[in-house]
Amino acid sequence: MGTLAGTIVDAPSGNPLAAKVSVQGSGGLFHAPEGAIETVGTTNPFFYADGTFVVDLPRGQADVRVERGTEYAPLHLTVKVPLKGIVNLSLPLQRWISLNEQGWYPGNTHIHYREFETRPEERLRFDSEVEDLTVTVISILQQQELAYATNRFPVGEMAHPTRPHWVLDVGEETRHNAVLGDSSSGYGHVMLVRLQEQVDPLSRGVLVDDSDPDYPPLIDACDAARSQGGVVIWCHNGWGMEAPIAASLNRIDALNLFDPYWLDTEYDLWYHLLNCGFKLPASTGSDWFICSANRVYTHLEDSFTYDRWLETLRAGRSYITNGPVLELKVDGCSPGKSLDLHTRQPKQVSAEVRWQAHRPIESVEIIMNGTVVAGEQTASGSTEGKLNATVAAPNDGWIAARCSGKSRDSYGHAQWAHTSPVYLKTGSKDSATRKSAQFFVNRIERSLQWITEKGRFEEAAHRQRMQQLFREGRGAFLRLAQG
């Protein structure tokens, strides 16, 4: 057996870098150092290396891949391994973009480790460094008696072991699911971040045990989190019954999308809520482990702090991506801002989208009220470009941008990015508002039927409270549906 000894560095500075490494020997098998932490899930096999690694390999050609985050270009090379002896490899990683220098900071707001993870502290450190995340949020949760490894961490912010200015935050995912096979999806899943103490109960209903009641509502957890300075993010579970209720009662600060991959129900939820006039920025995560390159970037005018990062997330100065850089300006305004068009004639705006990517992007679109109003599609794709459009805006609404590319990353995911919206105020509503509001009216009526006929409650007052909450939500959407 020969030996491959690799040293991974930042190309300009020569400083060592943690990265994920894939080494495929001449026999086509994946090789890793003994005791190395390996990636999990459906991704191509990689191991984590803290700047250096040593792997024993059979004689012949070996393929080596090295990756770090989304702002470094992946490195791929082939080497010849001798029958005996050491091959020393220098592996310089080159940034194709440095977004921190432009005030953009990436975060993943939804990660758990399953019960079989034996080294959660090491994995958490490597996950944050290898994915180059300024903010990494893991969460405790409950599903009956399963002892998830991330539940070992105490709630609250903790010091990063090697990057003092980065953030490791332990939040909470509070959840409710319906009985398996039920036509309902349950109340939903909510991420609570920046907590000072745990919010109880962690779950309700069958996620606790077969006899636990379907109470209290998730908005109680939202209120408890906010009372201690926390931030509330609705995560995946786009069909959760309480999502439109929590939004209508202003209990949600952001929505996790692509969490961990595209789900139409989540985009349906987001676009419909935006159409109804709710200001809800986009966030994203990877859920059970780092199984995607998903990240939310927020833009800070001042130096980075976690509180400023969360403030900009709540304000909607964000975009979500697994690689491409996507920027939107509407009449010079960035996402999260509102444009007052009451006195403007004609009521129209100028939208500009800029993108950069390491891999080609084939489609760039401007979305208004859930409908594509301008776009550019190219068969060969491009790694940078600009799209300008004049958009008629006779009614209240929102404008966002999205892009996609066919090229897949090492997680097997196609390229994508989506901005949070710029909001438009004119004083009049359009049919998109009424249709989206009616969508929620119908949905809440089905939820009310489930609460009345199937929901399990220990006290009649608990059922009545849930019914009242959902009736209030239905009333809010009914008024919008009726114009």
Side-chain angles (χ1 to χ4, degrees), residues 271-319:
Y271 285 4
H272 280 307
L273 288 173
L274 291 175
N275 285 351
C276 291
F278 299 110
K279 294 183 177 181
L280 287 168
S283 182
T284 191
S286 55
D287 199 6
W288 282 116
F289 33 73
I290 297 291
C291 60
S292 67
N294 295 0
R295 60 205 57 220
V296 52
Y297 278 92
T298 75
H299 189 262
L300 277 64
E301 300 294 338
D302 299 312
S303 59
F304 172 84
T305 68
Y306 189 26
D307 287 334
R308 287 178 185 148
W309 191 87
L310 288 172
E311 179 185 347
T312 59
L313 177 62
R314 288 195 299 264
R317 297 196 293 273
S318 67
Y319 73 95

Side-chain angles (χ1 to χ4, degrees), residues 252-397:
I252 304 174
D253 295 306
L255 284 173
N256 258 20
L257 304 150
F258 269 99
D259 187 17
Y261 45 78
W262 178 287
L263 289 173
D264 285 343
T265 55
E266 291 166 13
Y267 273 82
D268 289 343
L269 170 70
W270 190 37
Y271 285 4
H272 280 307
L273 288 173
L274 291 175
N275 285 351
C276 291
F278 299 110
K279 294 183 177 181
L280 287 168
S283 182
T284 191
S286 55
D287 199 6
W288 282 116
F289 33 73
I290 297 291
C291 60
S292 67
N294 295 0
R295 60 205 57 220
V296 52
Y297 278 92
T298 75
H299 189 262
L300 277 64
E301 300 294 338
D302 299 312
S303 59
F304 172 84
T305 68
Y306 189 26
D307 287 334
R308 287 178 185 148
W309 191 87
L310 288 172
E311 179 185 347
T312 59
L313 177 62
R314 288 195 299 264
R317 297 196 293 273
S318 67
Y319 73 95
I320 58 176
T321 182
N322 69 347
V325 177
L326 189 63
E327 295 186 69
L328 169 69
K329 297 282 188 181
V330 180
D331 280 3
C333 291
S334 301
K337 301 291 186 180
S338 295
L339 278 170
D340 189 338
L341 307 179
H342 282 77
T343 60
R344 183 176 300 187
Q345 294 298 333
K347 286 185 169 56
Q348 61 185 32
V349 293
S350 297
E352 179 181 272
V353 180
R354 293 178 180 269
W355 70 93
Q356 293 175 271
H358 176 67
R359 298 179 175 91
I361 295 298
E362 282 85 26
S363 175
V364 180
E365 296 174 319
I366 298 173
I367 312 297
M368 180 176 181
N369 298 352
T371 300
V372 177
V373 292
E376 179 178 298
Q377 284 76 36
T378 57
S380 58
S382 62
T383 55
E384 62 178 320
K386 181 171 70 172
L387 172 64
N388 289 289
T390 299
V391 181
N395 303 293
D396 290 356

